[in-house]
Amino acid sequence: MSRRRIGFWYRLAAVIAKPPLVVLIKRDWRGMENIPADGGFITAVNHNSHLDPFAYAHFQYNTGRVPRFLAKHGLFKKGFIGAVMRGTGQIPVYRETTNALSAFRAAIDAVERGECVAFYPEGTLTRDPDLWPMTAKTGVARVALQTKCPVIPVAQWGANLVLAPYAKKPDLLPRKTHHVLAGPPVDLERFYDREMTPELLKEATEVIMTAITGLLGELRGEQPPQRRYDPREARIAQRRKAAGTNTLTEQAGSAAIEHGSPEESK
């Protein structure tokens, strides 16, 4: 989608959102040359703040290739916000319903029409304690392999310093910098024309996430962890820990009953 086709609603959103972003956040944006000048493509972006969709959209808008985000369908029903979401062509996601696959069909259609679809592969804010990308869902790989379009990995850092994950109040001073680094397309050719099994999709998704994580390490000047944080594994570990604690408590209680309390032995 060229700058000539950005349209009224996207321009209106930019008029509203860009001035406060420019005032509140400094910018260190790199890799714009990796954003395709034409044709459909995907950007795959890490997610560590409720502010970063706006900050990242600012970056992408300035490339002339505006993104279509996948967003919760409830946002499309909320007055002016809903009108902007619909008007800018964002894609509603209906989770755990019969319409759940419609977002992927819409994403495929958008790419095939020559547009950019921006994916947050993790599906939500990262749960990693150090804000590295966590394990991802396979939707981005599914669309990429179906369309064989370029997948541009993008790392961002800094919006989380303004608004930390799940924080209610921003930290505006001193003024923070939003860092963005877009890399070259991820090589997924070895996955083309193969049966899209769950294993294949997971492998392709991991290749994409490795590219994003590497870019984020470059932005942060840090070495990424060797093992990706998995929230499912973390939940299982927490349940096991809680079950172990409960078992120890029950055993201690049984022992106290069996042997009697100090008061009862007097």
Side-chain angles (χ1 to χ4, degrees), residues 70-221:
L70 280 74
K72 295 177 182 178
H73 75 280
L75 294 174
F76 292 75
K77 301 178 180 180
K78 297 183 178 181
F80 178 73
I81 293 176
V84 172
M85 296 292 287
R86 296 189 300 271
T88 54
Q90 308 311 308
I91 299 172
V93 176
Y94 301 86
R95 294 179 179 174
E96 299 178 356
T97 71
T98 55
N99 293 323
L101 292 177
S102 64
F104 298 111
R105 297 191 190 99
I108 290 170
D109 290 344
V111 169
E112 291 179 343
R113 287 196 304 270
E115 299 181 22
C116 167
V117 176
F119 272 87
Y120 281 131
E122 298 158 276
T124 186
L125 292 174
T126 181
R127 300 292 199 276
D128 183 276
D130 295 319
L131 302 186
W132 292 101
M134 61 180 182
T135 54
K137 301 182 184 302
T138 59
V140 61
R142 186 181 296 275
V143 175
L145 298 184
Q146 181 80 22
T147 61
K148 298 182 181 178
C149 70
V151 178
I152 309 301
V154 182
Q156 58 177 335
W157 184 260
N160 54 293
L161 303 178
V162 180
L163 186 66
Y166 307 106
K168 295 182 179 180
K169 294 183 180 180
D171 181 9
L172 300 178
L173 297 174
R175 191 169 174 231
K176 312 300 189 297
T177 300
H178 181 232
H179 303 271
V180 178
L181 179 56
V186 180
D187 183 7
L188 298 175
E189 189 171 355
R190 65 184 180 275
F191 300 108
Y192 292 165
D193 300 321
R194 294 169 57 185
E195 182 183 358
M196 281 196 279
T197 62
E199 292 73 21
L200 181 78
L201 291 172
K202 288 180 181 178
E203 186 179 349
T205 301
E206 184 57 26
V207 171
I208 295 169
M209 296 307 295
T210 297
I212 298 171
T213 305
L215 294 171
L216 184 58
E218 186 175 341
L219 280 183
R220 294 172 59 168

